[in-house]
Amino acid sequence: WVALLTSLGVFQQYRFSFSKNPQKSFVTVLAIIVLMLGSVTGLYITAQKFIVAVLLQKSSVLFTVGEPDKAYDLMNSTVLFGRNDLYYRALADINLAKLRALLGRSGASIDAIRSEFQSVLGSAIENARQATEFDETNYLNWVSLARVYESVVSLGITGAYDNAQRAYEEAR
């Protein structure tokens, strides 16, 4: 199309010779290099965001079908691409699901369940706190932290009620 329109005179032709004006050629080559670097950087950022979106979706599907461990691993890998409060809130939610599953588990030793419960609860608290540290102004981050503490209030864990109440107050 371009060739046809040029031959018909719709587009005007410009001729440029690099050998006649070295200053113009230097500026042109420099501009081309800058545009290429900008394009590569843009492509990298777009690819990174695409990969994160795919990982978030896969993690969500795994979480929905009842595989919180695999969902947690995938969600944890999104943090490698960049910190975001959404990722930390999702990790805290997955931890809460793992806590509920632990409380319903039977057949394992009490010590093993207790040890895993403490580990998962610690991860849930840490992930929710990371979300609040990333963006203190987002009330959803504070609600996520409050929900983590609220989930263990009925178990009689010391300070859980007070911490949940403080987090809910911050959310206001």
Side-chain angles (χ1 to χ4, degrees), residues 11-22:
F11 290 137
Q12 192 175 15
Q13 272 187 326
Y14 292 101
R15 297 195 186 269
F16 181 76
S17 174
F18 284 113
S19 61
K20 290 182 181 177
N21 193 341

Side-chain angles (χ1 to χ4, degrees), residues 1-12:
W1 288 102
V2 174
L4 176 65
L5 292 173
T6 303
S7 68
L8 292 175
V10 176
F11 290 137
Q12 192 175 15

Side-chain angles (χ1 to χ4, degrees), residues 44-152:
Y44 174 77
I45 291 170
T46 303
Q48 190 176 31
K49 289 183 185 238
F50 178 76
I51 290 169
V52 167
V54 168
L55 291 174
L56 283 170
Q57 180 63 30
K58 284 184 178 183
S59 177
S60 177
V61 168
L62 287 170
F63 182 70
T64 303
V65 298
E67 296 190 36
D69 291 330
K70 290 180 181 177
Y72 186 84
D73 291 341
L74 269 179
M75 187 60 67
N76 214 10
S77 63
T78 62
V79 176
L80 299 175
F81 288 98
R83 293 183 51 190
N84 189 321
D85 57 338
L86 171 67
Y87 309 156
Y88 289 116
R89 282 196 315 267
L91 286 169
D93 288 341
I94 293 170
N95 285 130
L96 286 177
K98 289 169 79 173
L99 285 176
R100 285 190 292 273
L102 271 173
L103 292 175
R105 186 188 296 172
S106 61
S109 73
I110 299 288
D111 291 333
I113 291 175
R114 180 181 296 126
S115 174
E116 190 173 351
F117 182 85
Q118 289 172 342
S119 173
V120 172
L121 178 60
S123 291
I125 292 170
E126 180 59 28
N127 287 323
R129 283 196 181 168
Q130 288 280 345
T132 61
E133 288 173 10
F134 183 80
D135 185 2
E136 293 179 357
T137 63
N138 189 343
Y139 77 95
L140 291 173
N141 297 335
W142 292 103
V143 169
S144 179
L145 181 60
R147 285 184 32 230
V148 170
Y149 285 119
E150 179 185 347
S151 69
V152 294

Side-chain angles (χ1 to χ4, degrees), residues 32-52:
I32 290 171
I33 290 172
V34 168
L35 286 173
M36 288 176 64
L37 287 175
S39 297
V40 169
T41 302
L43 180 65
Y44 174 77
I45 291 170
T46 303
Q48 190 176 31
K49 289 183 185 238
F50 178 76
I51 290 169
V52 167

